[in-house]
Amino acid sequence: YERTSTGRGDNGKQVRAATLATSDGQPVNPTGAGNAYSGALSALLGTGSDLTEAATIATGVGAAVCEFQNLPPWTWEILERIRDARDEVRESI
């Protein structure tokens, strides 16, 4: 999925979209991904994360939501997927 986020973290750093872990790299169902991103970003900022860290984790949350027909099961596997997406996005900054 080749869309790039227009969000910018600290010091104008661009935070791009994470690669989706689906068989064809396309979203299964993007419904709710923006809400999940916004909720994660708000929660992380509210608990003291800096903007870049919050945006990279929130991007992982949004990607995970896109990879399922309904909401993903909140398991350790999904949390690891979010971490991997965060790491991928962080490396591109």
Side-chain angles (χ1 to χ4, degrees):
Y1 201 56
E2 297 186 20
R3 289 191 181 168
T4 301
S5 168
T6 57
R8 294 195 179 268
D10 298 336
N11 301 318
K13 298 173 187 170
Q14 186 166 7
V15 178
R16 68 172 192 76
T19 303
L20 296 180
T22 56
S23 61
D24 61 1
Q26 296 297 309
V28 172
N29 183 356
T31 304
N35 290 343
Y37 175 93
S38 296
L41 183 72
S42 296
L44 288 157
L45 290 173
T47 57
S49 293
D50 67 59
L51 182 56
T52 299
E53 180 70 5
T56 57
I57 295 171
T59 299
V61 171
V65 169
C66 287
E67 295 168 354
F68 290 85
Q69 184 59 42
N70 298 304
L71 286 175
W74 295 108
T75 62
W76 286 113
E77 183 179 345
I78 299 303
L79 294 175
E80 290 168 355
R81 167 65 186 119
I82 292 167
R83 181 204 57 215
D84 293 346
R86 177 210 58 197
D87 292 347
E88 173 199 348
V89 172
R90 185 187 291 160
E91 288 176 14
S92 71
I93 294 177

